[in-house]
Amino acid sequence: MYEKINVDLIRNSGIRIVDLRSDTISRPTPEMREAMYRAEVGDDVYVEDATVNALEKRCAELLGKEEAMFVVSGTMANLIAVMVHCNQRGSELISGDKGHTFKFEQGGTAHIAGVHTSIIKNNDDGTFSLDELRVKIRKNPDMHEPVTSLIIVENTHNLCGGKVVPLEWLEKVSNVAAEHNIPVHMDGARMMNAAVYLKLPPSRLVRDVDTVCFCLSKGLGCPIGAMLAGSSSFIEKARRVRKALGGGWRQAGVLAAPGLVALDSMVDRLQVDHIHALKIAKAIAELNSPVFRVDVSGVHTNIVIVHLDTLRVDPSDFKRRLMTVDDSDPVKVAVKCSQRDDWVRLVTYWEVTDDDVDHAIEKIRYVVGQF
């Protein structure tokens, strides 16, 4: 999925680079850099960093939760949540089979938290079967079984193309969980994109989950960081786990300051990223290619998944050709994307301009035509 490319060599050749690998590569805005310079700081392990405290208070209020905690990444936030909720040996969590915590967090729930994962097949919209969820929950487990201790959902759903999961489904998951006194955690790395898509406050999106995390990096443009929120008792335990994982910040206000800027100026503008992604998706769909397919109706936010007929095209070859600019190419643009299995992924973010989108579409059309 990740490939080292000599970007400097390409840039020095005068070729335009449009990097659509991920919104994780977004860089802080000038306002964020200024806020970092001027941030009031203290030792956050002692809860004495005023900027971190302000960010945590603001995020808790935004999400409608009692408290929030600033952590280094969404992966750390998810791991901490698992370790707090699944606090007895022999615990099990339930996740969709395309969930980020299951597929892309190095199995940390197992090899660090010691928690077993039971998976349910994700539907194309990021949901999973409630009937299967009921079956997966272990009722009164005997000594041979793990204990079901947590259910994890994801919103937006990365591997389902950045789709926003239905709120009605989240409510039903919560109801099933409540029947068995099991908490629900939302991996909401891009939940602000979901809030913008639904035109609803973030607190509504997380009303039916016990805990939630979201990234300040990615589309919001901060250089680093994620927020984890829940009840006061949950966050108290989460701070202990964060410290054990080496995540105790010291003068972290310089990193929290961009988060406050992001909440003021970067959330509503996510709609621009959604417009850009949809424009790219429509351009590919309009080619009517039998080899390259995009579900335009499923492009809710800033992620475009292009499915390939792998019997005719190797996704890695397509990815490489998008990045390559030959002397004879009429389009002097290098488009960077990520690739896995039978698809490539294109992700927009605040530094991707209207011109970038137009140039990327031009290059994609040319390469699709070649294949």
Side-chain angles (χ1 to χ4, degrees), residues 10 15 17 44 49 75 87 156 197 208 220 223 229 254 256 271 304:
I10 297 173
I15 294 170
I17 301 172
D44 182 52
D49 190 299
T75 295
N87 58 6
T156 66
Y197 175 80
D208 298 310
L220 295 184
V254 292
Q271 181 62 32
V304 179

Side-chain angles (χ1 to χ4, degrees), residues 187-205:
D187 174 2
R190 295 182 176 90
M191 65 159 291
M192 293 304 169
N193 292 84
V196 169
Y197 175 80
L198 293 174
K199 297 180 173 60
L200 291 172
S203 57
R204 175 60 188 89
L205 273 67

Side-chain angles (χ1 to χ4, degrees), residues 6 21 36 95 113 120 140 162 170 174 181 205 217 245 362:
N6 193 333
R21 288 173 297 168
M36 294 171 73
S95 165
I120 303 175
N140 303 312
L170 287 173
S174 175
N181 197 30
L205 273 67
S217 54
L245 294 175
E362 186 181 12

Side-chain angles (χ1 to χ4, degrees), residues 16-276:
R16 187 185 190 114
I17 301 172
V18 182
D19 196 337
L20 302 176
R21 288 173 297 168
S22 176
D23 46 9
T24 60
I25 66 171
S26 61
R27 294 172 296 183
T29 65
E31 293 79 10
M32 291 178 184
R33 294 176 187 270
E34 178 68 19
M36 294 171 73
Y37 175 74
R38 298 185 179 280
E40 182 180 353
V41 299
D43 192 320
D44 182 52
V45 172
Y46 294 117
V47 199
E48 293 176 355
D49 190 299
T51 308
V52 173
N53 293 345
L55 176 63
E56 291 177 341
K57 184 175 186 295
R58 176 113 179 248
C59 288
E61 293 171 350
L62 183 68
L63 298 172
K65 301 301 182 186
E66 290 180 352
E67 290 191 38
M69 182 178 69
F70 184 39
V71 299
V72 67
S73 68
T75 295
M76 177 178 278
N78 287 329
L79 180 59
I80 290 172
V82 170
M83 293 177 73
V84 173
H85 288 304
C86 303
N87 58 6
Q88 62 175 318
R89 302 296 294 176
S91 288
E92 176 182 72
L93 66 85
I94 298 174
S95 165
D97 68 334
K98 293 182 179 179
H100 197 278
T101 54
F102 174 66
K103 290 188 70 73
F104 296 131
E105 296 182 8
Q106 212 181 97
T109 53
H111 78 78
I112 297 176
V115 177
H116 180 257
T117 297
S118 177
I119 59 172
I120 303 175
K121 180 178 175 58
N122 275 118
N123 299 317
D124 289 340
D125 64 354
T127 66
F128 47 71
S129 166
L130 295 172
D131 290 336
E132 190 170 352
L133 174 62
R134 291 187 178 94
V135 171
K136 289 282 187 178
I137 294 174
R138 300 179 191 262
K139 299 88 175 173
N140 303 312
D142 67 18
M143 67 175 65
H144 302 88
E145 299 177 282
V147 178
T148 304
S149 303
L150 180 64
I151 298 167
I152 295 183
V153 295
E154 187 175 338
N155 194 23
T156 66
H157 204 290
N158 188 348
L159 283 190
C160 292
K163 289 188 179 70
V164 178
V165 299
L167 297 184
E168 296 81 3
W169 177 78
L170 287 173
E171 183 177 6
K172 291 175 182 177
V173 170
S174 175
N175 291 338
V176 172
E179 292 173 11
H180 303 280
N181 197 30
I182 298 170
V184 179
H185 172 68
M186 178 186 287
D187 174 2
R190 295 182 176 90
M191 65 159 291
M192 293 304 169
N193 292 84
V196 169
Y197 175 80
L198 293 174
K199 297 180 173 60
L200 291 172
S203 57
R204 175 60 188 89
L205 273 67
V206 303
R207 184 194 70 184
D208 298 310
V209 299
D210 298 276
T211 57
V212 58
C213 74
F214 74 91
C215 289
L216 294 165
S217 54
K218 298 188 170 72
L220 295 184
C222 296
I224 191 171
M227 303 304 299
L228 176 63
S231 67
S232 296
S233 61
F234 169 82
I235 293 298
E236 181 181 6
K237 296 169 185 173
R239 290 189 185 279
R240 287 187 57 84
V241 175
R242 182 186 69 169
K243 189 70 172 71
L245 294 175
W249 304 99
R250 295 301 177 180
Q251 287 71 35
V254 292
L255 297 173
L260 291 168
V261 174
L263 295 179
D264 286 335
S265 61
M266 298 298 284
V267 176
D268 290 342
R269 68 140 309 280
L270 291 171
Q271 181 62 32
V272 176
D273 300 338
H274 300 177
I275 292 170
H276 284 162

